[in-house]
Amino acid sequence: MDAPAQVIENLTFDELRIGQRAQITRTLTMADIQAFALVSGDLNPAHLDREYAESTRFHGVIAHGMWAGALISSVLGTEFPGPGTIYVAQELRFHRPVRVGDTLTVSVTVAEKNEATRGVLLDCAVTNQHGEEVVSGRAEVRAPSQKVVRPRPPLPQMHLFDPEARLRAWVDTLSDQPPVPCAVVHPLDEASLRGALESGRQGLIQPVLVAPLGRLRVLAEQLQLDLGSAELVDVAHSHDAAERAASLAAGGQVQMLMKGSLHTDELMQAVLAQPRLRTGRRMSHVFRIDVPAYPKPLLVTDAAINIAPTLEDKADIVRNAVELAQALGVVRPRVALLSAIETVTPRIASTLDAAALCKMADRGQITGAVLDGPLAFDNAISAEAARIKGIESPVAGQADILVVPDLEAGNMLAKQLEYLAGASSCGVVLGARVPIALTSRADSAASRMASDRKSTRLNSSHSQQSRMPSSA
């Protein structure tokens, strides 16, 4: 389809001739179907639910019939006759379904003119890329009497983003690993219990539910959830649950931990109290964040464990995040070391740390990644922002990992991306002998399931044996 003109110009009634024709082409995408459903409110599963659509006579998702009708309206209102046209009637017949990927040619031809009313009848035809007619009909309009030439009005950008669906799609790409035993610690709210059971149902984990069984069964009954084949471990309270789960992990009975409805410090203190869970590396937390306006997932670290990390701590934080990125398929991740500015100044300690970490990477003390910093957030994620500021960087605008100065900055950044930018997230703690899915109590069941999958992918990574810290 040709690029649209910078102006919109109509054809008046007097300029129209019998047989005169205009046409546009358009290729249907799934985003078109979703946008049409949002605007129209037509949520017919034949257009939006792939599983249902496969069971229909069309054997797959199809476009709304009126999507093609809207394309006809676009021609009439924008180009032929264009601005000033008044719709009187529209007759349509639908001959074939339109599927994602089909390219439609929409043709509108003048069939009749009425001098007295300025009425125009136009034959309408929509054909697909095979030349097959999918829609036909006739439109009746009143054509404009005066010439109109106007600048093409700007439209706001529309970003279609379904965080839950995108999260599920990512989880599906990681479904090649066998489920591992996972101790779900104190899952006594809906999100944590539902997330654990759903992860078990999908074969992501073998859930071991560590909680007061009386309360657990009452909750499951209230939510109409079947505890099924999940292993149940009875404990007295949340502290006891954390200690028992850590003990199970230390003894090799489970290969990962997942936080339920208890405070983070309860679980982490229990992990730290188990010498067999420690390694030579400091523990740190990584969020995987899927942001609608960014072309790939971001790993943000550390936003949950280390309050004011030292340079040595940050080196381990970077190493942990790099190994996670590699386990998730990023061979050589780009690491942006964030600060408020992108120049080194002694007055801002995080700029000094960033510069030192880059030099550590140069000397082989941090390997497997490309580091750059200090970088402000804008030039870390926008190549254009970096260009405007004259920054030449192999990381700017392409960051895979954002390393924040401290926990406060990281926590605020992660939550701002989620609540203001529509991002979806899941998280994991690295640095112990087992990965720990450290979800927020506000996280959805889907987010918890994604955290499980990320942890199981870590569990299968060859580098797992050398991972995770001795203190938090």
Side-chain angles (χ1 to χ4, degrees):
M1 184 175 176
D2 295 335
Q6 296 304 307
V7 297
I8 294 179
E9 180 177 354
N10 69 356
L11 293 170
T12 65
F13 178 83
D14 293 335
E15 292 176 309
L16 294 172
R17 300 288 182 266
I18 302 297
Q20 193 173 359
R21 189 177 71 161
Q23 69 179 37
I24 63 170
T25 59
R26 179 77 173 268
T27 300
L28 177 70
T29 67
M30 193 63 206
D32 292 324
I33 294 176
Q34 293 168 334
F36 194 91
L38 282 170
V39 172
S40 67
D42 183 349
L43 305 181
N44 185 335
H47 313 306
L48 301 167
D49 186 332
R50 294 183 185 278
E51 182 179 355
Y52 171 83
E54 287 292 340
S55 68
T56 69
R57 67 189 183 95
F58 300 112
H59 302 293
V61 168
I62 60 172
H64 300 76
M66 288 309 297
W67 183 74
L71 296 183
I72 294 173
S73 177
S74 174
V75 177
L76 297 177
T78 305
E79 298 186 26
F80 191 80
T85 299
I86 298 175
Y87 237 137
V88 176
Q90 177 74 65
E91 170 195 316
L92 292 173
R93 294 183 65 83
F94 302 94
H95 306 292
R96 287 180 174 82
V98 179
R99 304 180 187 277
V100 173
D102 282 354
T103 297
L104 302 186
T105 299
V106 182
S107 301
V108 177
T109 306
V110 177
E112 299 178 21
K113 293 178 64 179
N114 186 321
E115 297 282 348
T117 63
R118 299 199 325 277
V120 180
L121 290 178
L122 303 108
D123 290 327
C124 307
V126 182
T127 58
N128 62 22
Q129 66 272 24
H130 306 297
E132 301 167 331
E133 192 169 55
V134 296
V135 178
S136 63
R138 175 166 279 199
E140 180 182 352
V141 304
R142 288 195 179 91
S145 59
Q146 296 182 343
K147 194 69 174 175
V148 175
V149 179
R150 301 287 298 173
R152 183 173 290 272
L155 292 175
Q157 291 186 347
M158 180 169 63
H159 294 283
L160 292 175
F161 182 70
D162 184 342
E164 297 289 327
R166 201 149 152 182
L167 200 60
R168 287 193 297 269
W170 172 67
V171 168
D172 289 343
T173 68
L174 305 176
S175 60
D176 58 341
Q177 302 297 328
V180 298
C182 171
V184 187
V185 188
H186 208 252
L188 290 182
D189 62 5
E190 180 176 359
S192 58
L193 182 56
R194 191 180 296 278
L197 295 176
E198 181 63 18
S199 294
R201 188 185 70 80
Q202 294 201 16
L204 305 181
I205 62 171
Q206 298 170 13
V208 179
L209 307 181
V210 186
L213 292 190
R215 294 172 58 191
L216 182 67
R217 289 193 172 101
V218 168
L219 176 63
E221 185 177 352
Q222 290 173 345
L223 299 175
Q224 297 183 329
L225 295 175
D226 183 6
L227 297 179
S229 59
E231 183 180 342
L232 306 179
V233 178
D234 191 20
V235 293
H237 43 65
S238 60
H239 288 287
D240 192 15
E243 292 172 2
R244 183 70 66 84
S247 177
L248 291 172
Q253 295 163 272
V254 298
Q255 296 178 35
M256 56 182 288
L257 300 173
M258 180 177 179
K259 174 178 170 285
S261 58
L262 76 169
H263 290 287
T264 297
D265 58 356
E266 287 185 82
L267 177 57
M268 297 311 300
Q269 287 173 9
V271 171
L272 292 171
Q274 287 286 346
R276 287 178 294 175
L277 292 181
R278 297 186 183 184
T279 70
R281 193 163 309 163
R282 188 166 185 84
M283 289 187 189
S284 61
H285 180 271
V286 181
F287 275 116
R288 180 193 182 274
I289 300 182
D290 210 342
V291 187
Y294 198 68
K296 57 184 175 181
L298 281 167
L299 299 182
V300 176
T301 188
D302 176 348
I305 297 292
N306 294 281
I307 298 173
T310 64
L311 175 61
E312 185 179 6
D313 296 336
K314 287 182 180 180
D316 274 348
I317 288 170
V318 171
R319 294 181 184 110
N320 288 339
V322 168
E323 289 182 4
L324 172 61
Q326 291 171 337
L328 296 177
V330 184
V331 177
R332 190 168 177 80
R334 301 173 190 267
V335 181
L337 304 162
L338 297 186
S339 184
I341 57 176
E342 54 280 336
T343 54
V344 178
T345 174
R347 292 176 294 173
I348 303 179
S350 58
T351 67
L352 300 176
D353 287 347
L357 290 167
C358 289
K359 184 52 66 177
M360 291 173 74
D362 290 343
R363 295 290 187 264
Q365 294 171 266
I366 299 173
T367 60
V370 179
L371 276 64
D372 195 15
L375 290 173
F377 179 78
D378 57 346
N379 43 66
I381 54 91
S382 169
E384 178 64 12
R387 186 193 64 79
I388 291 171
K389 292 185 177 182
I391 300 170
E392 294 185 6
S393 166
V395 174
Q398 306 178 71
D400 299 294
I401 299 170
L402 301 180
V403 179
V404 298
D406 54 35
L407 183 145
E408 288 179 300
N411 194 273
M412 286 188 283
L413 172 60
K415 289 180 178 176
Q416 285 165 355
L417 291 174
E418 181 177 359
Y419 286 93
L420 295 180
S424 59
S425 67
C426 56
V428 65
V429 173
L430 314 175
R433 290 293 176 190
V434 297
I436 305 166
L438 193 62
T439 54
S440 166
R441 282 172 288 172
D443 282 347
S444 68
S447 177
R448 292 166 186 269
M449 183 177 65
S451 296
D452 282 343
R453 172 46 71 196
K454 185 164 66 171
S455 298
T456 57
R457 174 54 63 96
L458 268 173
N459 216 26
S460 66
S461 172
H462 177 71
S463 62
Q464 180 67 26
Q465 298 301 317
S466 62
R467 182 171 288 132
M468 325 231 169
S470 56
S471 63

